[in-house]
Amino acid sequence: MNTPVLSIIIPAKDQAPFIRDTMTSLLNQFDDPAALEVVFVDDGSSDGTGELVGAFADRLPGLRILRNDEARGLATARNQGLDAARGTAIAFLDGDDWLAPGHLAYCLAERDRLDVDFVRVDHVRTTNGRRTIHRAPQARRNTVLDPRDSILPHTETTMIDYPYAWAGLFHRRLADAGLLHFPDGLFTAEDRPWIWKLHLQASSYAVLSSLGILYRRGVATSLTQIYDRRQLDFARSFALAFEIVAADPEAQRYWPKVIRQFLAVACHHLSRSGQMTPEVKTELDAAITETMAGIPDPLLTQALAALDAKRRRVLLPHRPAASRPARHALLLKGAR
């Protein structure tokens, strides 16, 4: 069987209202339809999403459909797609988003021209029919960059704050090295440890000035709109990111950034906790405290002191009452 040029992985659960737009946009990506392998992971849909995708089989000869009887979550579904993908390049797409004609062909040609591990792109956000442009936070475009150099400064928005898996295209060698897989079982925030591992361990990348991704925002079924315990996965996600940073030889450079990210996301969830049930709110408080306990005390003290007074007041009640010296000594080992 011929190896496809590019595999695009699309996990989806109950996306019947939008999946036709997603699949139709794939028909216009390459002159040769055989260049594209579409690995669709139907993650426990009950609204016929998989059947709607199957109707495109005659127009997308590289279409493959994997089915989960019960939802296993975005991270696991993406990993299933990765394990099945055969392309020499990898891309991701969510089941309610779509691509401009030729977007994948352009990204692939630029990745090949620059000979980098991966490329990242801007995107267009669509909210209730209104479109806004969102730029990847890197001013240097169409040139080879070191991913590690795009993590800092910790006080500014950088590429590590742009974790969207679908906003780019990746060389097969990253998947073979384990850099494209997500932590299994996470329903939300799965891209936080993923982007840290990618930027710390990949060798090269580039940012392209392309607006070929249309990202649908504000959908009622989106995980950004829910208030149940799936949102609490951000705490586990950042605990994993802490471990990735702590294991890096230059951990002292990057700890302030990952701590600042966690505190910002924790504040966000605490600000919306009034819409959670009392049980989920209690779990949220406990999860923040437990995750905060994984931050070395001196670094946590510095990070909290650097916050504005409002955020500091919100977070201080969640600071652990006692430190964990052995754990902190291990995490600080790379920060000295």
Side-chain angles (χ1 to χ4, degrees):
M1 184 178 293
N2 293 333
T3 301
V5 174
L6 186 146
S7 295
I8 188 164
I9 297 158
I10 309 173
K13 180 182 185 297
D14 294 337
Q15 294 295 335
F18 312 112
I19 199 64
R20 290 187 185 88
D21 291 341
T22 303
M23 300 303 295
T24 300
S25 74
L26 299 179
L27 301 173
N28 303 307
Q29 296 303 311
F30 293 95
D31 292 336
D32 178 7
L36 180 64
E37 177 185 56
V38 180
V39 183
F40 183 82
V41 184
D42 185 356
D43 194 29
S45 296
S46 59
D47 66 349
T49 294
E51 289 73 16
L52 292 173
V53 171
F56 284 81
D58 59 338
R59 289 175 285 173
L60 289 169
L63 176 62
R64 303 168 65 194
I65 300 176
L66 311 180
R67 301 180 190 275
N68 295 329
D69 292 335
E70 296 182 356
R72 300 181 63 186
L74 181 58
T76 299
R78 280 180 176 161
N79 289 343
Q80 290 176 280
L82 273 172
D83 292 340
R86 298 178 294 110
T88 58
I90 303 290
F92 299 95
L93 187 62
D94 287 350
D96 53 354
D97 302 336
W98 70 102
L99 304 177
H103 170 74
L104 293 178
Y106 167 74
C107 290
L108 182 63
E110 287 298 286
R111 197 223 64 82
D112 290 345
R113 181 181 70 83
L114 295 166
D115 191 23
V116 290
D117 284 342
F118 64 98
V119 296
R120 303 292 273 159
V121 297
D122 308 319
H123 69 277
V124 177
R125 185 172 296 179
T126 67
T127 307
N128 298 323
R130 183 173 62 89
R131 296 186 178 185
T132 55
I133 294 173
H134 290 258
R135 302 286 185 187
Q138 170 57 257
R140 300 178 64 192
R141 300 296 175 107
N142 302 90
T143 189
V144 180
L145 301 171
D146 184 338
R148 297 173 73 91
D149 291 342
S150 294
I151 296 174
L152 303 177
H154 77 277
T155 56
E156 296 181 11
T157 301
T158 68
M159 289 300 294
I160 208 76
D161 301 304
Y162 193 77
Y164 314 115
W166 38 260
L169 185 144
F170 309 88
H171 196 286
R172 175 86 216 183
R173 58 178 172 255
L174 295 179
D176 294 340
L179 297 186
L180 294 186
H181 282 75
F182 298 82
D184 270 319
L186 290 180
F187 280 79
T188 57
E190 77 294 331
D191 47 14
R192 294 293 185 166
W194 177 85
I195 196 70
W196 272 101
K197 187 191 299 185
L198 188 65
H199 271 265
L200 286 175
Q201 298 181 28
S203 298
S204 60
Y205 89 110
V207 180
L208 310 180
S209 294
S210 172
L211 291 172
I213 299 174
L214 292 100
Y215 167 64
R216 203 185 302 266
R217 184 80 171 177
V219 177
T221 56
S222 170
L223 289 174
T224 62
Q225 304 298 308
I226 65 172
Y227 295 91
D228 62 30
R229 57 178 40 89
R230 285 175 292 177
Q231 284 291 286
L232 306 187
D233 279 354
F234 85 92
R236 178 186 163 204
S237 175
F238 272 102
L240 294 171
F242 292 167
E243 292 179 3
I244 293 168
V245 171
D248 190 83
E250 293 186 293
Q252 74 281 1
R253 291 185 63 198
Y254 303 118
W255 261 116
K257 181 66 172 182
V258 71
I259 295 170
R260 188 180 179 91
Q261 284 184 321
F262 167 68
L263 296 180
V265 175
C267 275
H268 166 71
H269 285 286
L270 288 169
S271 72
R272 65 205 296 265
S273 62
Q275 300 179 71
M276 300 176 183
T277 66
E279 293 78 13
V280 173
K281 173 63 166 63
T282 298
E283 290 184 40
L284 171 67
D285 292 336
I288 291 174
T289 298
E290 182 179 358
T291 306
M292 202 179 290
I295 302 173
D297 272 344
L299 300 179
L300 179 57
T301 298
Q302 294 172 13
L304 288 170
L307 294 177
D308 60 82
K310 181 179 179 180
R311 286 188 172 185
R312 192 159 54 248
R313 283 195 302 271
V314 169
L315 288 167
L316 278 176
H318 296 83
R319 183 170 187 171
S323 63
R324 301 179 182 180
R327 169 69 169 163
H328 292 170
L330 174 65
L331 293 176
L332 276 169
K333 184 177 180 181
R336 289 175 179 156

